[in-house]
Amino acid sequence: RCLVGSEMCKETGFSSTELTERLLKDYNILIKDCDTKNGLQDKNYIRIAVRNTADNNRLVEVLMSL
């Protein structure tokens, strides 16, 4: 189980932009696509922040389902 503040890597087959758009559209989950940050273009980095354990668990469940 992934806890708030820990690191998690999951290959989804989506670019960072595609994942950001899909999570928002399909699950109402907002993450930050870091593709616009200097030095991170085309590297598919995202930034995730969660408020609590319930949000974290939901995010993990959604990511594991992709």
Side-chain angles (χ1 to χ4, degrees):
R1 180 171 287 227
C2 184
L3 301 176
V4 174
S6 64
E7 294 179 21
M8 180 176 102
C9 285
K10 165 99 168 97
E11 291 289 330
T12 63
F14 300 104
S15 70
S16 58
T17 301
E18 291 168 334
L19 181 61
T20 299
E21 291 171 356
R22 180 157 184 191
L23 288 180
L24 183 59
K25 179 183 172 205
D26 295 348
Y27 301 98
N28 201 35
I29 295 175
L30 180 63
I31 63 173
K32 172 68 177 161
D33 179 4
C34 295
D35 199 47
T36 59
K37 300 287 186 184
N38 288 335
L40 298 180
Q41 295 89 351
D42 300 319
K43 294 188 179 180
N44 290 317
Y45 284 102
I46 57 172
R47 187 178 72 200
I48 299 173
V50 293
R51 295 175 290 204
N52 54 45
T53 302
D55 286 350
N56 186 77
N57 291 341
R58 180 168 179 261
L59 176 65
V60 169
E61 287 176 19
V62 167
L63 290 175
M64 296 303 289
S65 74
L66 297 177

